[in-house]
Amino acid sequence: VNAAEKTLYLADKGRLSSAPAPESEKNGFDEYVSNPAKPVPYTMKTSIRYNRDYFVEDQRFAASRPDVLVFATEPLAEDMTIAGPIRAELYVSTTGTDADWVVKVIDVYPDDAPDPKTNPAGIRMAGYQRLIRGEIFRGKFRESFEKPVPCVPGRVAKVAFDLPDVQHAFLKGHRLMVQVQSSWFPLFDRNPQTFCDIRTAGEEAFRKATHRVYRTSRYPSRLSFKVAAE
């Protein structure tokens, strides 16, 4: 399949832009407080069992949280099919010495999207934020999986990782959204946000931290993927 590389840059005002930030943009970032005691859940459903439908679940429950960053394109002028791996490159800093970085790619339905004809669950598709792909990366492994290193508080670092392969068609009028957060519980264990052996860490190791995601010409946080030719 013929495919072209496309990059979307995190931009101001919650935008995803096809153009990098201008040279004049030197201080752009978004930040949030991550609290291990109140992690972002992977699902809005309450259940004693694993929710197998989470990977297409509406993500508006997460987008409304103050510890989740949200970026989106304008409504697409034409259909866009993405195929293959998705590469996330974030420039980040934290007040702690470790942090997790979760990137989720989401298909946002238009406000006039019709509901399914057969709809026993009563799902409303208007504005639905359908999870397409997501992945997590532990910051202390940003240089090597063999030799973890602590984050230096306040110092900008690059965190780059691949999301699972995908083939998905974003239809005309839909938007592509990216959500960035630092927990995805209990799919993944909580990061104490201090550099330690998490398996043996006591509760005192789990601390709040302020995380920043940068979006400047020097630190161009972005998402790259292949767009299949029509």
Side-chain angles (χ1 to χ4, degrees):
V1 176
N2 293 327
E5 185 79 18
K6 184 175 181 62
T7 299
L8 293 174
Y9 296 87
L10 276 55
D12 62 343
K13 300 178 181 179
R15 297 181 300 120
L16 284 176
S17 174
S18 58
E23 291 292 332
S24 58
E25 182 64 85
K26 299 183 182 299
N27 298 309
F29 62 84
D30 295 288
E31 68 178 17
Y32 56 93
V33 176
S34 175
N35 183 357
K38 297 179 179 180
V40 181
Y42 82 100
T43 178
M44 65 179 174
K45 295 182 179 180
T46 302
S47 174
I48 61 174
R49 296 181 178 87
Y50 168 74
N51 175 24
R52 64 181 182 179
D53 296 328
Y54 87 90
F55 47 83
V56 293
E57 189 174 355
D58 190 347
Q59 296 299 302
R60 279 179 285 194
F61 77 93
S64 65
R65 290 177 59 110
D67 51 357
V68 177
L69 301 181
V70 178
F71 304 88
T73 65
E74 293 296 319
L76 299 176
E78 57 186 16
D79 296 353
M80 179 179 70
T81 299
I82 65 174
I86 302 169
R87 183 71 171 174
E89 297 182 50
L90 301 180
Y91 290 87
V92 298
S93 68
T94 176
T95 57
T97 51
D98 193 15
D100 285 349
W101 302 99
V102 179
V103 172
K104 299 185 297 188
V105 176
I106 293 160
D107 185 343
V108 183
Y109 285 61
D111 291 337
D112 59 355
D115 296 335
K117 292 182 179 179
T118 303
N119 193 9
I123 295 174
R124 296 292 176 257
M125 297 308 299
Y128 196 95
Q129 296 179 8
R130 178 185 171 186
L131 180 63
I132 302 302
R133 285 293 185 270
E135 188 57 279
I136 187 170
F137 191 89
R138 188 143 285 170
K140 64 184 177 182
F141 298 118
R142 65 194 180 279
E143 296 182 7
S144 164
F145 286 111
E146 291 76 23
K147 296 181 179 180
V149 294
C151 301
V152 178
R155 179 181 294 178
V156 180
K158 181 179 179 180
V159 175
F161 56 98
D162 289 330
L163 281 67
D165 285 13
V166 67
Q167 181 162 336
H168 178 78
F170 290 85
L171 301 181
K172 178 181 177 180
H174 289 224
R175 293 183 293 147
L176 189 154
M177 175 182 284
V178 170
Q179 293 182 6
V180 180
Q181 58 200 57
S182 288
S183 50
W184 211 8
F185 188 77
L187 278 184
F188 298 93
D189 60 340
R190 297 175 301 145
N191 191 322
Q193 305 184 147
T194 57
F195 185 74
C196 62
D197 185 341
I198 296 177
R199 295 170 300 177
T200 58
E203 197 60 35
E204 71 282 354
F206 290 76
R207 301 175 188 173
K208 292 181 183 179
T210 299
H211 303 330
R212 287 183 175 181
V213 179
Y214 295 80
R215 41 173 176 74
T216 67
S217 57
R218 183 179 181 186
Y219 301 126
S221 295
R222 57 192 183 265
L223 195 77
S224 300
F225 49 87
K226 298 283 189 181
V227 175
E230 295 296 330

